[in-house]
């Protein structure tokens, strides 16, 4: 497991296991004390699930993700693990996020809901069982 913390200056610190890059330090080295997540500023929320990927929402509504990515749960259009924060493809003005162990859903300011990642049980709500490496609209 790993932990994340928003600092007073809206930066992020992390610690714990980093085998998939979930600490966002730019490497795969685990740390037993807080270290800086690289490249993030203006963070106001750290939605967190039970998986090995991490997310951050900035005050401008940007969504960043990093860590384990075999099902595309980072949302950058790939399935490569990311050891540093990466913007989620095509999302602007994110209001809130729900994180599963291997998938994520986001509510935009417009009220639209998109999801990405593991979809073996249809959890993305797009009417398929195909995993997605970038956000897709929830049907209906």
């Amino acid at each position: 497991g790993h932990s994340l913390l928003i600092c007073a200056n809206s930066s992020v610190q992390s610690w714990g296991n980093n085998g998939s890059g979930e600490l966002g330090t730019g490497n795969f080295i685990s740390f037993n004390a807080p270290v800086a997540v690289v490249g993030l500023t203006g963070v106001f929320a750290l939605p967190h699930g039970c998986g090995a990927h991490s997310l951050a929402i900035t005050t401008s509504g940007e969504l960043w993700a990093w860590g384990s990515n075999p099902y595309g749960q980072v949302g950058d259009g790939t399935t490569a693990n990311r050891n540093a924060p990466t913007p989620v493809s095509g999302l602007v003005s994110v209001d809130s996020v729900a994180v599963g162990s291997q998938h994520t859903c986001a509510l935009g300011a417009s009220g639209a809901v998109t999801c990405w990642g593991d979809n073996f049980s249809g959890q993305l709500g797009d009417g398929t069982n195909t995993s997605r490496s970038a956000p897709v609209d929830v049907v209906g």
Side-chain angles (χ1 to χ4, degrees):
H2 69 289
S3 298
L4 301 168
L5 170 72
I6 300 174
C7 300
N9 67 356
S10 299
S11 67
V12 178
Q13 298 270 314
S14 62
W15 63 95
N17 183 44
N18 197 29
S20 299
E22 57 267 45
L23 296 186
T25 56
N27 57 49
F28 296 98
I29 300 168
S30 297
F31 292 90
N32 61 8
V35 293
V37 172
V38 296
L40 281 180
T41 59
V43 173
F44 82 89
L46 294 170
H48 196 63
C50 58
H53 69 292
S54 303
L55 296 114
I57 304 172
T58 66
T59 54
S60 62
E62 297 171 316
L63 182 61
W64 295 78
W66 61 96
S68 180
N69 196 29
Y71 301 103
Q73 58 265 46
V74 169
D76 67 347
T78 75
T79 55
N81 289 351
R82 299 294 179 190
N83 62 14
T86 304
V88 175
S89 299
L91 292 184
V92 294
S93 299
V94 171
D95 278 350
S96 63
V97 174
V99 185
S101 63
Q102 297 175 331
H103 75 286
T104 302
C105 293
L107 172 65
S110 67
V113 177
T114 57
C115 298
W116 60 96
D118 180 13
N119 197 27
F120 292 132
S121 300
Q123 58 267 49
L124 301 186
D126 68 347
T128 75
N129 291 85
T130 303
S131 295
R132 308 291 182 170
S133 62
V136 294
D137 292 332
V138 172
V139 176

